[in-house]
């Protein structure tokens, strides 16, 4: 159960100000079709979390335990880098009215983001299915927050939030790496 709760909370937290959440907010503000956008966001979140949980499980099954522990640390550090990376992607000015196109774009943004790397890390380090379910729910909640807040979200101090989260995730990643190497207990 801890993999579920950690994954849910972590994915929700690190999704704040993420590209998928900001895209959902912009589309919700411009199209006024929040119900369809919420459904598409939930599907994209579930698919991306499932993909990363399966990948984490696959690596955990083929790697010896010490290597799997290092993989968790590396995934956490990759998530921290993604969080800290200056995000300059231009959001669309004219949103598409196709929910399928929105699904594809949301899914593409989510697969390599920090939140899904955390699902990968939790899946490799514990129960993959609970981590995937928590990640899907956390991602859906983050999209729902973006759709609900819409244009208000762009006024939040997103950069500061993401840098703070990057520091926390990096510290956890370094600790996990040192623990996996047996340097600290």
């Amino acid at each position: 159960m801890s993999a579920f709760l950690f994954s849910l909370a972590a994915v929700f937290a690190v999704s704040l100000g993420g590209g998928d959440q900001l895209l959902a907010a912009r589309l919700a503000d411009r199209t006024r079709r929040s119900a369809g956008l919420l459904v598409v966001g939930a599907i994209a979140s579930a698919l991306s979390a499932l993909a990363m949980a399966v990948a984490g499980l696959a690596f955990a099954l083929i790697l010896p335990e010490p290597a799997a522990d290092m993989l968790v640390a590396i995934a956490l550090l990759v998530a921290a880098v993604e969080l800290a990376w200056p995000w300059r992607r231009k959001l669309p000015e004219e949103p598409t009215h196709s929910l399928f196109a929105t699904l594809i774009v949301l899914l593409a943004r989510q697969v390599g983001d920090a939140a899904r790397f955390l699902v990968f890390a939790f899946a490799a380090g514990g129960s993959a299915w609970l981590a995937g379910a928590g990640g899907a729910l956390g991602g859906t909640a983050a999209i729902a927050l973006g759709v609900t807040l819409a244009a208000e979200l762009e006024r939040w101090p997103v950069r500061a939030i993401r840098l703070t989260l990057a520091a926390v995730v990096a510290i956890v990643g370094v600790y996990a790496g040192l623990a996996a190497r047996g340097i600290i207990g």
Side-chain angles (χ1 to χ4, degrees), residues 43-59 107 110-112 116-117 119-121 123-124 128-129 131-133 135-136:
I43 292 170
S45 295
L47 290 174
S48 62
L50 175 66
M52 293 305 270
V54 167
L57 176 62
F59 276 100
L107 191 57
Q110 288 180 346
V111 168
R116 273 26 90 165
F117 274 110
V119 171
F120 178 87
W129 305 118

Side-chain angles (χ1 to χ4, degrees), residues 47-147:
L47 290 174
S48 62
L50 175 66
M52 293 305 270
V54 167
L57 176 62
F59 276 100
L61 291 175
I62 62 172
L63 293 175
E65 189 173 333
D69 292 343
M70 277 306 294
L71 180 66
V72 170
I74 291 167
L76 290 169
L77 292 173
V78 168
V81 168
E82 197 278 332
L83 277 166
W85 199 265
W87 190 72
R88 301 273 185 237
R89 288 180 237 156
K90 187 173 182 178
L91 294 172
E93 293 300 324
E94 291 297 324
T96 179
H97 292 283
S98 166
L99 290 175
F100 182 72
T102 302
L103 171 69
I104 298 301
V105 172
L106 281 174
L107 191 57
R109 287 191 178 195
Q110 288 180 346
V111 168
D113 71 356
R116 273 26 90 165
F117 274 110
L118 291 179
V119 171
F120 178 87
F122 290 134
S127 174
W129 305 118
L130 289 175
L137 192 55
T140 299
I143 293 289
L145 181 67
V147 169

Side-chain angles (χ1 to χ4, degrees), residues 4-85:
F4 174 80
L5 293 175
F6 281 135
S7 185
L8 186 148
V11 167
F12 179 75
V14 300
S15 292
L16 291 175
D20 57 332
Q21 188 184 47
L22 293 176
L23 176 64
R26 169 96 33 104
L27 291 175
D29 190 44
R30 296 191 184 229
T31 63
R32 306 282 185 228
R33 294 185 329 169
S34 59
L37 192 55
L38 281 173
V39 170
V40 164
I43 292 170
S45 295
L47 290 174
S48 62
L50 175 66
M52 293 305 270
V54 167
L57 176 62
F59 276 100
L61 291 175
I62 62 172
L63 293 175
E65 189 173 333
D69 292 343
M70 277 306 294
L71 180 66
V72 170
I74 291 167
L76 290 169
L77 292 173
V78 168
V81 168
E82 197 278 332
L83 277 166
W85 199 265

